[in-house]
Amino acid sequence: MSQTLIEKIAQRFAVGLTPQHEVHAGDYLSIKPAYVMTHDNTGAVIPKFKSIGATKLANPRQVVITLDHNVQDKSEKNLEKYKKIEEFAKTMGADFYPAGRGIGHQIMCEEGYAWPLTMAVASDSHSNMYGGLGCLGTPIVRTDAAAIWATGRTWWQVPPIARVTLTGKLRKGVTGKDLIIALCGYFNHDEVLNHAIEFVGDGVKSLSVDERLAISNMTTEWGALAGVFPVDEITIQWLRNRADYISKRGLEGVASDIDGNGIHPRVNNKRIDELEKNILKADEDAFYAKELIIDLSTIEPFVSGPNTVKTFAPVSELKNKDVKINKAYLVSCVNSRLDDIKEAAEVVKGKKVAEGVKFYIAAASSEVQKEAEKLGYWQTLLEAGAIPLPPGCGPCIGLGTGLLEDGEVGISATNRNFKGRMGSPNAFAYLASPAVVASSAIAGKIDYNWNNGGHKILGSVKVNSKKADKKTTVKIIEGFKPVVEGELIFCHQDNLNTDGIYPGKYTYNDDMTPQQQAEVVMENYDPEFVKIAKAGDILVGGFNFGTGSSREQAATALKYKGIQLVIAGTFNETYKRNALNNGFLLIECPELINDLKAKFGAQKLTVKTGMIAKIDFQNSVINVDSKSYTIDPVGEAAQELIVTGGLEEWVKKNLGS
């Protein structure tokens, strides 16, 4: 069969595959990513790492640690936390970047960890950003990070893959940020939820690497798990420019610098030459679950919000509505690179920030700020009245100076405008490009000099059905049940969130025993669930099961209740990771869910169906009432986690092997 680019990259970084195994969407893989990045949350990963009995990193060169989230906090407690993280990194021999060097995702790109056609992960949802350089970047949870530290490996299920074709060219004054705002707002019915995206088409070549990074970064907000651009001459030239910069700058002094014998071990012309000769591409007849097309010439400067990326409007429309603002932000990993700062500086040159408005700026890294200062952009912004913040995160995640207060309106070049994320839940947050943000800061209201509106966005979506593959039997490892049987209990609700499954009021009660967790499971969804469900039952949910917070108990409580496994139309990806990391199996089978919805409707929250399901893992089918449903193969990587009881136990078993 043919493979997509993402499947080909995953194939390269999968371990333990049989020689004939060709990686495709749906496969569970054991992966050894090129790099794993953790930031301030390293402080939470360290005790997990130690609790599984690990005493050293499996591969110190695989581990990157950056301090970037709470860099404005100079309290003794935070400084002590930072000191402990730095000591751990240096003791273990990992690459470490201190507070002030910049945002971890930017460092991953600047220092060549996010290398084209490789796989890099991070315990942060915006690791999608690496796709702007053609690197398969995808988020993991903290337990995964600890597992990679200890063994070099974790698991990944290859998601369904969507192809997004970009046609035409952006008009002058329109940026990549406007494009991703349009994609989030125009295709706003979960078209790419939990998919990995490959961007293709003639329009790609009109986008700079900075724009590609911004677009890939915000595929997270679009609902995707990765957003990967092809590697082309623009990518190669960006790398050459970076190699030239580094050769003049010198090495950073991180642990891996010694590997290059005086030359940067990752970003160097020899490595770029090798990449240029071996550019990987998708096969022409590769299968994509979804195909989306959008015409770049129909995009204009857009603003998303307030408080959601699913709502957007042309800036020309909002300009006429006279939307007053209190704060403006040019910060974060999505839009604080050199091109962004230049764009904002050109808008504000010779002008002043409006009275009553605070305009906060922070570069994505210390090097970006240094270049912006050298070229005069930074000074232009300061002269206009912008308030500088240190390179790193901050207002974007509700930390430090400049948060939105009750009733305030903010416009930001960040990636998220969720209610309450940037401060008060009673504030209103909009997202826009750096130019629109800067223009609004000057005007005191949402504003931009753009009079070329009125274009209707031209975009389309096509959903593809995969032809039935030639059936192959799945190898079943020792200890894993080849067949599971149980009665189906049906909970119809789509988007059932983790608070419904395991109430928030119990989440931080660390003394809750497994039995107590089982007694309150699904309490917020249906108080009768605990009486209806019996040990050995198989729970069937709706679509996007387990959305919401990342609490692990939403998976473990069902396991402790005796539920054998959960079947749903789709799962939230973080929920899926938490479940399998705790040795609890999830299976996606949309056809079965639609049949049960048709049969039982939504009259009861929990239905004891009386239907017995027989799940045949060797042949990847579910048999219910004489009907068979095909499911994705549950491969050896997933089976191992079930047999060992989860990722931490798997790590303990594999330490030193």
Side-chain angles (χ1 to χ4, degrees):
M1 286 181 64
S2 301
Q3 289 178 300
T4 66
L5 176 60
I6 285 166
E7 289 167 340
K8 288 184 177 185
I9 297 173
Q11 180 102 37
R12 285 184 170 184
F13 289 86
V15 291
L17 297 180
T18 57
Q20 68 272 22
H21 188 134
E22 192 177 75
V23 170
H24 289 287
D27 285 354
Y28 281 96
L29 305 175
S30 181
I31 57 159
K32 187 179 283 187
Y35 295 99
V36 54
M37 188 271 282
T38 56
H39 45 67
D40 294 30
N41 59 20
T42 305
V45 179
I46 291 171
K48 279 186 173 287
F49 174 74
K50 291 179 176 177
S51 72
I52 53 182
T55 56
K56 63 179 182 177
L57 301 178
N59 177 7
R61 293 296 183 265
Q62 189 184 26
V63 177
V64 184
I65 295 173
T66 66
L67 297 179
D68 63 4
H69 269 52
N70 202 19
V71 295
Q72 295 180 46
D73 184 354
K74 303 298 183 183
S75 68
E76 188 177 336
K77 182 179 179 183
N78 195 53
L79 292 177
E80 182 63 25
K81 173 185 173 180
Y82 277 10
K83 183 182 176 185
K84 285 180 179 177
I85 291 172
E86 182 173 5
E87 286 172 353
F88 175 84
K90 293 190 173 176
T91 301
M92 292 289 171
D95 282 5
F96 173 79
Y97 295 88
R101 173 61 183 85
I103 300 173
H105 300 307
Q106 180 70 14
I107 292 168
M108 290 287 282
C109 297
E110 289 181 354
E111 298 300 323
Y113 301 106
W115 191 257
L117 308 180
T118 67
M119 184 175 190
V121 300
S123 58
D124 187 278
S125 59
H126 286 109
S127 44
N128 288 21
M129 187 174 109
Y130 315 149
L133 283 166
C135 171
L136 175 52
T138 195
I140 54 169
V141 295
R142 294 169 186 181
T143 304
D144 295 307
I148 297 171
W149 285 5
T151 68
R153 295 161 54 187
T154 189
W155 65 275
W156 194 53
Q157 186 181 22
V158 185
I161 299 164
R163 181 169 64 190
V164 177
T165 302
L166 307 177
T167 65
K169 186 178 179 180
L170 294 176
R171 289 173 284 166
K172 186 175 172 56
V174 186
T175 68
K177 180 64 169 287
D178 297 305
L179 171 58
I180 189 60
I181 286 175
L183 288 170
C184 290
Y186 185 76
F187 298 110
N188 63 0
H189 295 290
D190 296 335
E191 286 88 344
V192 297
L193 181 66
N194 292 335
H195 285 59
I197 295 168
E198 291 182 18
F199 290 100
V200 300
D202 292 340
V204 167
K205 65 178 179 289
S206 69
L207 300 170
S208 69
V209 166
D210 277 9
E211 288 182 300
R212 296 178 191 187
L213 291 170
I215 293 163
S216 291
N217 182 298
M218 272 191 68
T219 58
T220 301
E221 281 62 49
W222 198 13
L225 299 173
V228 180
F229 277 85
V231 177
D232 58 13
E233 62 275 10
I234 295 168
T235 320
I236 298 295
Q237 189 56 54
W238 187 93
L239 292 169
R240 298 238 183 249
N241 293 343
R242 185 67 196 157
D244 183 56
Y245 179 93
I246 287 173
S247 69
K248 294 171 184 171
R249 176 204 74 183
L251 301 179
E252 282 277 301
V254 297
S256 66
D257 282 354
I258 196 171
D259 298 345
N261 295 314
I263 297 169
H264 196 281
R266 291 171 301 281
V267 189
N268 57 70
N269 281 307
K270 182 181 177 183
R271 197 173 182 216
I272 299 168
D273 290 343
E274 290 171 1
L275 172 67
E276 198 169 14
K277 291 174 193 168
N278 298 287
I279 291 178
L280 205 59
K281 295 181 179 178
D283 293 324
E284 284 189 19
D285 55 346
F287 174 80
Y288 293 91
K290 303 267 182 78
E291 293 182 68
L292 291 75
I293 301 173
I294 195 158
D295 183 346
L296 301 189
S297 69
T298 64
I299 306 300
E300 57 185 289
F302 287 117
V303 177
S304 78
N307 300 347
T308 176
V309 296
K310 291 193 173 188
T311 301
F312 76 122
V315 69
S316 51
E317 181 182 309
L318 289 173
K319 181 177 180 178
N320 294 330
K321 291 185 177 179
D322 201 34
V323 181
K324 305 284 188 194
I325 66 164
N326 304 94
K327 289 177 175 132
Y329 305 87
L330 178 59
V331 299
S332 92
C333 56
V334 68
N335 269 138
S336 288
R337 281 173 282 279
L338 190 62
D339 285 358
D340 304 316
I341 294 168
K342 177 186 178 185
E343 213 175 273
E346 287 173 347
V347 169
V348 306
K349 192 171 181 66
K351 300 170 186 169
K352 292 288 183 184
V353 172
E355 191 175 341
V357 173
K358 290 181 178 178
F359 181 22
Y360 296 95
I361 60 171
S365 74
S366 57
E367 292 192 355
V368 168
Q369 182 171 334
K370 186 177 177 183
E371 284 299 293
E373 288 170 345
K374 180 179 166 185
L375 294 166
Y377 307 146
W378 197 255
Q379 189 62 26
T380 296
L381 288 164
L382 295 182
E383 287 172 357
I387 302 165
L389 298 174
C393 307
C396 171
I397 50 170
L399 292 173
T401 301
L403 305 189
L404 288 171
E405 297 176 18
D406 282 359
E408 287 191 329
V409 176
I411 187 164
S412 176
T414 54
N415 41 32
R416 279 190 182 150
N417 57 348
F418 300 162
K419 184 178 180 181
R421 178 176 170 86
M422 296 184 68
S424 168
N426 299 316
F428 302 90
Y430 293 87
L431 301 182
S433 72
V436 171
V437 168
S439 181
S440 301
I442 298 299
K445 63 176 187 175
I446 295 178
D447 190 18
Y448 186 55
N449 185 22
W450 179 265
N451 300 307
N452 196 11
H455 287 67
K456 184 179 179 183
I457 291 178
L458 296 178
S460 64
V461 182
K462 179 185 175 189
V463 180
N464 296 319
S465 296
K466 196 169 187 179
K467 293 175 184 175
D469 297 337
K470 185 180 178 182
K471 274 289 184 187
T472 56
T473 57
V474 176
K475 180 183 174 184
I476 304 297
I477 68 170
E478 186 179 348
F480 186 82
K481 292 181 181 178
V483 176
V484 167
E485 290 189 54
E487 183 177 352
L488 299 181
I489 53 170
F490 180 48
C491 298
H492 65 83
Q493 186 172 313
D494 294 336
N495 302 304
L496 179 55
N497 63 45
T498 48
D499 196 66
I501 303 167
Y502 189 80
K505 63 185 177 183
Y506 305 120
T507 301
Y508 297 103
N509 181 355
D510 296 334
D511 297 326
M512 292 282 282
T513 65
Q515 183 182 347
Q516 288 172 326
Q517 284 192 32
E519 288 169 358
V520 300
V521 69
M522 304 288 271
E523 183 176 278
N524 282 355
Y525 168 71
D526 182 4
E528 297 300 308
F529 178 89
V530 290
K531 300 174 187 174
I532 297 169
K534 306 299 178 190
D537 285 346
I538 294 170
L539 172 60
V540 183
F543 290 82
N544 199 24
F545 187 95
T547 190
S549 79
S550 59
R551 66 193 69 163
E552 290 190 351
Q553 301 99 316
T556 57
L558 286 167
K559 180 181 178 181
Y560 298 148
K561 178 62 181 168
I563 300 297
Q564 291 196 74
L565 53 87
V566 180
I567 303 171
T570 54
F571 290 94
N572 171 271
E573 190 63 21
T574 301
Y575 185 83
K576 186 189 291 183
R577 293 209 73 82
N578 280 330
L580 206 47
N581 282 350
N582 282 282
F584 188 53
L585 187 60
L586 309 178
I587 295 173
E588 293 187 351
C589 188
E591 189 184 356
L592 172 60
I593 275 61
N594 287 330
D595 283 354
L596 292 181
K597 282 175 177 278
K599 182 168 184 174
F600 295 105
Q603 292 180 359
K604 289 185 178 180
L605 293 172
T606 306
V607 178
K608 197 161 180 66
T609 67
M611 302 163 72
I612 304 298
K614 180 178 179 181
I615 306 171
D616 179 348
F617 291 106
Q618 198 161 25
N619 296 299
S620 303
V621 294
I622 302 175
N623 295 302
V624 183
D625 286 356
S626 73
K627 184 171 181 178
S628 291
Y629 302 88
T630 301
I631 57 173
D632 285 330
V634 177
E636 291 178 55
Q639 293 177 36
E640 275 191 281
L641 292 171
I642 301 303
V643 171
T644 57
L647 187 59
E648 290 189 24
E649 293 303 316
W650 178 88
V651 171
K652 290 176 185 176
K653 180 184 170 187
N654 285 274
L655 271 177
S657 63

